[in-house]
Amino acid sequence: KQLSQILPAIRQHLRLSNLRGLWIDKNDCHNSEYGDPEDNYLSFVTGFMGSQGLALILMDRAYIFVDGRYTLQAAKEVDLGSFEIKNYKRKIIQEFCEELNLKDEPIGFLSTALTLEQYGFYKDLCALRAMDETCLSSLWQDRPAKKYYPISDYPISFAGKSRDAKIQDLQMTCQKAGVDGVF
Protein backbone atom coordinates (compact mmCIF):
# COMPACT_ATOMS: atom_id res chain seq x y z
CA LYS A 1 0.00 0.00 0.00
CA GLN A 2 1.07 3.57 -0.54
CA LEU A 3 2.02 5.58 2.54
CA SER A 4 -1.08 7.72 2.00
CA GLN A 5 -3.25 4.60 2.42
CA ILE A 6 -1.44 3.19 5.45
CA LEU A 7 -2.49 5.79 8.04
CA PRO A 8 -6.23 5.51 7.25
CA ALA A 9 -5.97 1.71 7.43
CA ILE A 10 -4.15 1.88 10.78
CA ARG A 11 -6.73 4.32 12.10
CA GLN A 12 -9.53 2.01 11.01
CA HIS A 13 -7.83 -0.81 12.93
CA LEU A 14 -7.50 1.48 15.97
CA ARG A 15 -11.21 2.33 15.80
CA LEU A 16 -12.17 -1.35 15.66
CA SER A 17 -9.81 -2.10 18.56
CA ASN A 18 -11.05 0.81 20.69
CA LEU A 19 -7.59 2.37 20.81
CA ARG A 20 -6.74 6.05 20.69
CA GLY A 21 -3.37 5.44 19.08
CA LEU A 22 -0.43 3.20 18.28
CA TRP A 23 3.25 3.43 19.21
CA ILE A 24 5.62 2.11 16.54
CA ASP A 25 9.23 1.77 17.64
CA LYS A 26 12.16 1.22 15.30
CA ASN A 27 13.38 -1.80 17.27
CA ASP A 28 12.54 -5.34 16.27
CA CYS A 29 11.91 -8.37 18.48
CA HIS A 30 15.66 -8.69 19.12
CA ASN A 31 16.02 -5.01 20.08
CA SER A 32 18.31 -4.56 17.08
CA GLU A 33 19.19 -1.03 16.15
CA TYR A 34 20.05 -2.22 12.62
CA GLY A 35 17.46 -4.95 12.15
CA ASP A 36 16.32 -6.59 8.96
CA PRO A 37 14.18 -4.55 6.54
CA GLU A 38 11.22 -6.92 6.88
CA ASP A 39 10.96 -6.03 10.58
CA ASN A 40 11.18 -2.25 10.15
CA TYR A 41 7.58 -1.24 10.76
CA LEU A 42 8.63 2.34 11.47
CA SER A 43 10.02 2.68 7.95
CA PHE A 44 7.01 0.93 6.44
CA VAL A 45 4.55 3.31 8.12
CA THR A 46 6.54 6.57 7.91
CA GLY A 47 9.16 6.17 5.18
CA PHE A 48 11.91 7.03 7.68
CA MET A 49 15.06 4.92 7.22
CA GLY A 50 17.20 6.02 10.20
CA SER A 51 18.44 3.61 12.85
CA GLN A 52 16.44 5.10 15.72
CA GLY A 53 12.96 6.53 15.89
CA LEU A 54 9.46 6.24 17.22
CA ALA A 55 6.06 7.05 15.76
CA LEU A 56 2.82 7.79 17.54
CA ILE A 57 -0.24 7.40 15.35
CA LEU A 58 -3.36 9.00 16.82
CA MET A 59 -6.82 9.17 15.30
CA ASP A 60 -6.37 12.73 14.06
CA ARG A 61 -2.60 13.30 14.04
CA ALA A 62 0.66 11.41 13.66
CA TYR A 63 4.12 12.14 15.00
CA ILE A 64 7.60 10.81 14.46
CA PHE A 65 10.22 11.24 17.15
CA VAL A 66 13.85 11.31 16.00
CA ASP A 67 17.03 12.45 17.67
CA GLY A 68 19.20 15.30 16.41
CA ARG A 69 21.14 13.05 14.03
CA TYR A 70 18.03 12.40 11.98
CA THR A 71 16.08 15.65 11.93
CA LEU A 72 17.13 16.56 8.37
CA GLN A 73 16.83 13.00 7.11
CA ALA A 74 13.33 12.63 8.54
CA ALA A 75 12.26 15.89 6.91
CA LYS A 76 13.29 14.43 3.53
CA GLU A 77 11.90 10.91 3.97
CA VAL A 78 8.65 11.44 5.89
CA ASP A 79 5.47 12.94 4.49
CA LEU A 80 5.31 16.15 6.50
CA GLY A 81 1.64 16.54 5.60
CA SER A 82 0.97 13.34 7.56
CA PHE A 83 3.63 13.37 10.29
CA GLU A 84 4.95 16.07 12.56
CA ILE A 85 8.61 15.63 13.54
CA LYS A 86 9.37 15.76 17.27
CA ASN A 87 12.58 15.41 19.28
CA TYR A 88 13.32 11.90 20.55
CA LYS A 89 14.18 12.69 24.15
CA ARG A 90 12.37 10.95 26.97
CA LYS A 91 11.57 14.17 28.79
CA ILE A 92 10.12 15.70 25.62
CA ILE A 93 8.08 12.56 24.85
CA GLN A 94 6.79 12.52 28.43
CA GLU A 95 5.83 16.22 28.37
CA PHE A 96 4.24 15.77 24.95
CA CYS A 97 2.07 12.86 26.15
CA GLU A 98 1.05 14.85 29.22
CA GLU A 99 0.13 17.78 26.97
CA LEU A 100 -2.05 15.46 24.87
CA ASN A 101 -3.56 14.01 28.06
CA LEU A 102 -2.80 10.41 27.11
CA LYS A 103 -2.36 9.11 30.68
CA ASP A 104 -5.52 6.99 30.77
CA GLU A 105 -5.93 6.54 27.03
CA PRO A 106 -5.53 3.07 25.50
CA ILE A 107 -2.57 3.17 23.14
CA GLY A 108 -1.45 0.05 21.31
CA PHE A 109 2.11 -1.10 20.87
CA LEU A 110 3.70 -3.99 19.01
CA SER A 111 4.37 -6.51 21.74
CA THR A 112 7.53 -7.74 19.99
CA ALA A 113 9.14 -4.32 19.67
CA LEU A 114 9.52 -2.94 23.20
CA THR A 115 12.07 -3.90 25.80
CA LEU A 116 10.89 -4.29 29.38
CA GLU A 117 12.57 -0.99 30.22
CA GLN A 118 10.79 0.79 27.33
CA TYR A 119 7.50 -0.79 28.38
CA GLY A 120 7.99 0.65 31.87
CA PHE A 121 8.50 4.11 30.42
CA TYR A 122 5.51 4.04 28.05
CA LYS A 123 3.08 2.48 30.55
CA ASP A 124 3.56 5.57 32.71
CA LEU A 125 2.51 7.76 29.77
CA CYS A 126 -0.66 5.96 28.70
CA ALA A 127 -2.72 2.81 29.14
CA LEU A 128 -0.62 0.46 27.01
CA ARG A 129 -2.29 -2.39 25.18
CA ALA A 130 -0.16 -5.06 23.52
CA MET A 131 -0.96 -5.76 19.89
CA ASP A 132 0.13 -8.49 17.59
CA GLU A 133 2.06 -7.23 14.56
CA THR A 134 -0.58 -8.49 12.12
CA CYS A 135 -2.31 -5.11 12.45
CA LEU A 136 0.59 -3.76 10.36
CA SER A 137 1.91 -6.82 8.52
CA SER A 138 -1.50 -7.37 6.90
CA LEU A 139 -1.10 -3.94 5.26
CA TRP A 140 2.47 -4.53 4.08
CA GLN A 141 1.90 -6.12 0.70
CA ASP A 142 5.45 -5.67 -0.66
CA ARG A 143 7.19 -6.64 2.58
CA PRO A 144 10.72 -7.96 2.00
CA ALA A 145 11.07 -11.70 2.42
CA LYS A 146 12.42 -12.99 5.73
CA LYS A 147 16.04 -14.07 5.48
CA TYR A 148 17.28 -17.12 7.29
CA TYR A 149 20.93 -17.62 8.07
CA PRO A 150 22.71 -20.86 8.87
CA ILE A 151 23.57 -21.56 12.49
CA SER A 152 27.17 -22.43 13.13
CA ASP A 153 29.37 -23.07 16.14
CA TYR A 154 31.19 -20.10 17.57
CA PRO A 155 34.93 -20.88 17.37
CA ILE A 156 36.33 -22.30 20.63
CA SER A 157 39.26 -19.91 20.28
CA PHE A 158 36.77 -17.11 21.06
CA ALA A 159 34.29 -19.04 23.22
CA GLY A 160 36.87 -20.62 25.52
CA LYS A 161 34.94 -23.90 25.80
CA SER A 162 32.99 -26.17 23.51
CA ARG A 163 29.21 -26.12 23.48
CA ASP A 164 29.12 -29.59 25.07
CA ALA A 165 31.45 -28.50 27.90
CA LYS A 166 29.27 -25.46 28.60
CA ILE A 167 26.12 -27.61 28.66
CA GLN A 168 27.77 -30.04 31.10
CA ASP A 169 28.81 -27.11 33.33
CA LEU A 170 25.27 -25.77 33.30
CA GLN A 171 23.80 -29.20 34.08
CA MET A 172 26.17 -29.58 37.03
CA THR A 173 25.27 -26.11 38.31
CA CYS A 174 21.54 -26.94 38.06
CA GLN A 175 22.09 -30.24 39.87
CA LYS A 176 23.97 -28.51 42.71
CA ALA A 177 21.24 -25.89 42.97
CA GLY A 178 18.53 -28.57 43.05
CA VAL A 179 16.71 -27.25 39.96
CA ASP A 180 15.58 -29.15 36.88
CA GLY A 181 16.70 -26.54 34.37
CA VAL A 182 16.97 -22.90 33.39
CA PHE A 183 15.63 -20.75 30.61
Side-chain angles (χ1 to χ4, degrees):
K1 290 193 180 229
Q2 298 292 336
L3 287 178
S4 62
Q5 297 172 310
I6 294 169
L7 285 179
I10 290 171
R11 288 179 173 131
Q12 177 63 19
H13 183 82
L14 294 175
R15 257 189 235 63
L16 295 172
S17 302
N18 293 315
L19 294 170
R20 179 162 176 210
L22 174 65
W23 290 109
I24 303 172
D25 199 280
K26 166 64 173 75
N27 293 340
D28 62 11
C29 64
H30 304 287
N31 196 29
S32 304
E33 185 174 355
Y34 301 102
D36 291 325
E38 70 273 10
D39 296 324
N40 192 344
Y41 287 107
L42 183 67
S43 177
F44 165 64
V45 172
T46 67
F48 176 65
M49 298 297 294
S51 66
Q52 184 182 30
L54 170 71
L56 176 59
I57 313 299
L58 298 173
M59 296 307 289
D60 57 345
R61 296 173 277 180
Y63 305 92
I64 182 164
F65 297 86
V66 297
D67 66 29
R69 298 174 292 170
Y70 294 119
T71 305
L72 296 175
Q73 179 180 341
K76 290 179 184 174
E77 294 176 347
V78 173
D79 174 7
L80 299 179
S82 298
F83 287 89
E84 184 178 331
I85 298 173
K86 297 283 187 184
N87 192 308
Y88 190 113
K89 286 188 178 172
R90 285 192 166 215
K91 185 165 179 55
I92 291 173
I93 294 171
Q94 183 177 0
E95 290 169 354
F96 180 72
C97 290
E98 288 169 2
E99 189 179 303
L100 290 177
N101 198 26
L102 296 181
K103 181 70 175 152
D104 297 319
E105 294 291 334
I107 306 289
F109 73 98
L110 301 182
S111 58
T112 58
L114 289 185
T115 64
L116 189 56
E117 189 266 333
Q118 289 170 318
Y119 176 83
F121 174 70
Y122 294 119
K123 79 171 180 52
D124 289 338
L125 303 179
C126 57
L128 280 181
R129 190 177 312 158
M131 297 176 64
D132 162 315
E133 67 183 37
T134 56
C135 66
L136 295 178
S137 61
S138 64
L139 303 173
W140 200 350
Q141 295 170 356
D142 59 347
R143 185 177 187 178
K146 187 85 173 151
K147 294 180 192 126
Y148 295 94
Y149 304 96
I151 296 173
S152 59
D153 282 332
Y154 194 62
I156 292 177
S157 60
F158 297 118
K161 289 184 182 181
S162 72
R163 173 178 12 120
D164 290 336
K166 289 180 180 185
I167 290 171
Q168 286 175 348
D169 288 349
L170 184 58
Q171 288 171 331
M172 197 177 321
T173 301
C174 287
Q175 194 173 31
K176 286 178 184 176
V179 296
D180 294 331
V182 294
F183 283 98

